Amino acid sequence: MAVVSPGKTQSISQKPKALAIDGALPDFRNIGVILRVIVLVNVLAVGVVVLRSRSTDEIVPAMVAWAGWLELPLFITVLLLYLAQPVLQRLAPGRFWPVVGMLAVVVALFAYPPLGVPSDVALWRWLGWSVLASCAVMGYFDYRGRLYSPALTEARLHALTARIRPHFLFNSLNAVLGVMREDPRRAERALEELADMFRVLMKEHKELVSLDSEIGLCERYLDLERLRLGDRLVVNWDLTCKPAQALVPPLLLQPLLENAVYHGIEPSLQPGDIAVRVARRSSEVLIEVSNPMVDTPRAHKGNQIAQANIRERLSLFFDLEADMRIDRSEGRYSVRIRLPYRRLKT
């Protein structure tokens, strides 16, 4: 890992593991991948039942019977893939897929007698079904990998990040111009902070970054906003349970703080507080940003764009393992983000 100087963003090469890229092995420890495997195999089973049924009255009983035969070996196969993930990902491309297929066939072979599969489903048909299901799953993830190739994924991340920059930089420059005549030294320090932020914003944001660097970026941004808002802007940080080595998508917190300032602080003439809480719970990182709700006719389109942007980037990096929720209660607007704990490798 490259050594970086203090004050600069640290990052590591961390591709979105939930996606199978260019024929790569999907992460069978990702909840999104597991759910896709289960859904795809069950959809195939429904298709087989419909094709084999002679009348509509036979479909429901046949589905119930297939569920009894299928779910246990499917669960065992998924569990074994989960446990074997570290071994599978060390295999060369083109070798792990046959291993996955053989694993499914072996499980189906051992599950055949205990499940009491009826005689009209011969062993070779049962094994053939497992091969068909394996090929369908492998074909799906291969297609998904080509759809989300590195070039396309990085282009989407770059486009999403680029949407954040203009508005953010425009506001920051206005803040510096507003204080330049009254306090030249403070304006000079603000320009230095802005230069540091420019260096962060101009980087390629296709990798996860350290949580500390993201928080540092937000602190510099809030310092610039205080030039305009003064004592009206109060920020309460709760970082006592912050995971020291956590990695997060770049520019995750700053757009949320910008929305909090725009919708919760600017419209009011009274001081308002933004609360930021970052904590680790087991294998997850929890982030919450809340601000007071102010009753003004101000449009909320910018809020929606920023939130949709963050949701899409969370999906690109973590698939279904991350989510973002909005809560409006007790006069406050809160954004809560949950994402898996990834740590900086040293």
Side-chain angles (χ1 to χ4, degrees):
M1 184 180 69
V3 178
V4 296
S5 59
K8 295 188 178 180
T9 302
Q10 298 179 7
S11 64
I12 65 170
S13 180
Q14 178 99 4
K15 301 296 182 184
K17 290 182 63 180
L19 306 178
I21 296 177
D22 281 354
L25 181 74
D27 183 8
F28 288 112
R29 294 189 172 185
N30 183 284
I31 187 64
V33 172
I34 293 174
L35 288 176
R36 288 185 177 93
V37 171
I38 293 174
V39 170
L40 181 58
V41 173
N42 279 279
V43 167
L44 289 174
V46 170
V48 171
V49 168
V50 172
L51 292 176
R52 284 171 53 89
S53 300
R54 299 175 183 177
S55 65
T56 55
D57 296 336
E58 297 180 2
I59 294 179
V60 174
M63 284 185 179
V64 174
W66 266 83
W69 307 329
L70 178 64
E71 300 307 325
L72 179 59
L74 176 58
F75 172 78
I76 294 174
T77 303
V78 170
L79 178 61
L80 292 176
L81 289 173
Y82 179 93
L83 297 174
Q85 175 70 26
V87 178
L88 291 173
Q89 65 186 14
R90 288 199 294 266
L91 298 177
R95 291 188 178 181
F96 42 71
W97 284 129
V99 173
V100 172
M102 290 175 60
L103 180 64
V105 170
V106 170
V107 172
L109 180 63
F110 279 92
Y112 180 77
L115 292 177
V117 179
S119 58
D120 62 330
V121 181
L123 176 60
W124 69 270
R125 289 181 182 272
W126 180 251
L127 297 180
W129 154 255
S130 67
V131 172
L132 174 64
S134 300
C135 291
V137 170
M138 291 185 288
Y140 166 79
F141 282 113
D142 182 70
Y143 168 76
R144 183 175 172 82
R146 296 178 189 279
L147 184 65
Y148 291 102
S149 65
L152 291 177
T153 301
E154 291 173 11
R156 290 180 67 189
L157 287 172
H158 180 76
L160 288 168
T161 304
R163 295 177 192 173
I164 298 174
R165 294 170 181 162
H167 185 246
F168 166 55
L169 296 176
F170 176 79
N171 283 349
S172 300
L173 285 173
N174 273 346
V176 174
L177 291 174
V179 77
M180 187 169 290
R181 292 183 179 178
E182 299 177 2
D183 191 347
R185 289 188 177 181
R186 180 66 185 94
E188 182 180 356
R189 189 165 71 253
L191 286 174
E192 292 174 354
E193 292 175 344
L194 190 57
D196 290 338
M197 296 172 69
F198 260 100
R199 279 193 288 269
V200 174
L201 291 171
M202 293 301 107
K203 285 187 175 182
E204 291 289 336
H205 291 124
K206 61 185 180 182
E207 302 172 351
L208 298 176
V209 299
S210 69
L211 181 58
D212 283 341
S213 67
E214 185 71 10
I215 291 174
L217 173 68
C218 293
E219 289 174 339
R220 290 193 290 272
Y221 164 73
L222 292 170
D223 284 342
L224 291 172
E225 288 290 13
R226 287 191 183 94
L227 295 177
R228 297 189 304 115
L229 302 172
D231 295 337
R232 290 165 54 198
L233 175 59
V234 179
V235 182
N236 297 317
W237 294 90
D238 183 359
L239 305 177
T240 55
C241 298
K242 180 195 69 173
Q245 300 293 326
L247 294 168
V248 298
L251 297 180
L252 179 70
L253 269 176
Q254 188 277 326
L256 297 179
L257 289 172
E258 186 172 349
N259 278 338
V261 169
Y262 182 77
H263 295 284
I265 307 300
E266 281 188 14
S268 175
L269 298 178
Q270 302 298 322
D273 70 292
I274 298 174
V276 184
R277 176 176 175 264
V278 181
R280 179 185 174 188
R281 183 181 65 187
S282 185
S283 60
E284 295 179 335
V285 176
L286 306 178
I287 299 173
E288 180 177 355
V289 177
S290 70
N291 59 271
M293 289 191 293
V294 182
D295 187 16
T296 65
R298 176 169 285 191
H300 289 273
K301 182 179 179 182
N303 216 354
Q304 296 170 1
I305 292 175
Q307 291 171 7
N309 186 311
I310 292 172
R311 278 195 176 96
E312 186 169 353
R313 289 192 294 127
L314 286 172
S315 177
L316 283 171
F317 277 106
F318 301 115
D319 203 341
L320 299 181
E321 289 189 313
D323 62 40
M324 183 174 73
R325 298 182 181 181
I326 308 300
D327 179 62
R328 299 176 180 88
S329 61
E330 300 180 356
R332 296 190 69 84
Y333 185 93
S334 302
V335 180
R336 298 186 178 97
I337 294 177
R338 176 187 61 85
L339 64 157
Y341 175 58
R342 302 282 188 269
R343 58 179 300 173
L344 189 67
K345 296 180 180 178
T346 56

